[in-house]
Amino acid sequence: MVEKTIAEFEGLIDSEIVILGLIRRDRKRLVFRAAETLQQGDIVIVEASHVDLEKLVSKGKLKLVGGVKVSQEELRSDEIGVLEAVVPPGSAVEG
């Protein structure tokens, strides 16, 4: 997957996966562009079902490191936080 973009990584399998973050040179990045190119040694933090994760690892010829669940607290940074909200029907942000 080296030299492939985040968008290409996301489209590797026909399933719903969510890229939560990227660790590059020991720096956690929570914001990145779909056109960002993956580099050797990058660690991509992915949310996926067990089956989809196995497909992703197999098809992308990836190495699974850790297999540890990442908490919302670990995904926070000075610039980004995790927020959960309920959007009622008819709201301006609905859809």
Side-chain angles (χ1 to χ4, degrees), residues 69-88:
K69 287 191 174 195
V70 179
S71 72
Q72 288 185 356
E73 203 52 46
E74 291 172 294
L75 292 175
R76 293 184 197 277
S77 74
D78 291 338
E79 297 85 29
I80 296 180
V82 178
L83 174 70
E84 188 172 328
V86 176
V87 179

Side-chain angles (χ1 to χ4, degrees), residues 33-67:
R33 298 170 295 121
E36 174 115 23
T37 303
L38 293 170
Q39 299 176 7
Q40 185 172 347
D42 282 354
I43 298 173
V44 182
I45 304 170
V46 177
E47 180 178 18
S49 71
H50 185 280
V51 172
D52 290 343
L53 187 58
E54 284 182 352
K55 286 182 198 174
L56 189 63
V57 168
S58 175
K59 190 162 184 183
K61 298 179 182 155
L62 304 171
K63 177 182 173 187
L64 188 62
V65 292

Side-chain angles (χ1 to χ4, degrees), residues 16-27:
E16 183 71 27
I17 65 167
V18 178
I19 298 178
L20 301 174
L22 177 69
I23 300 173
R24 179 174 288 158
R25 294 185 205 95
D26 295 324
R27 292 198 60 212

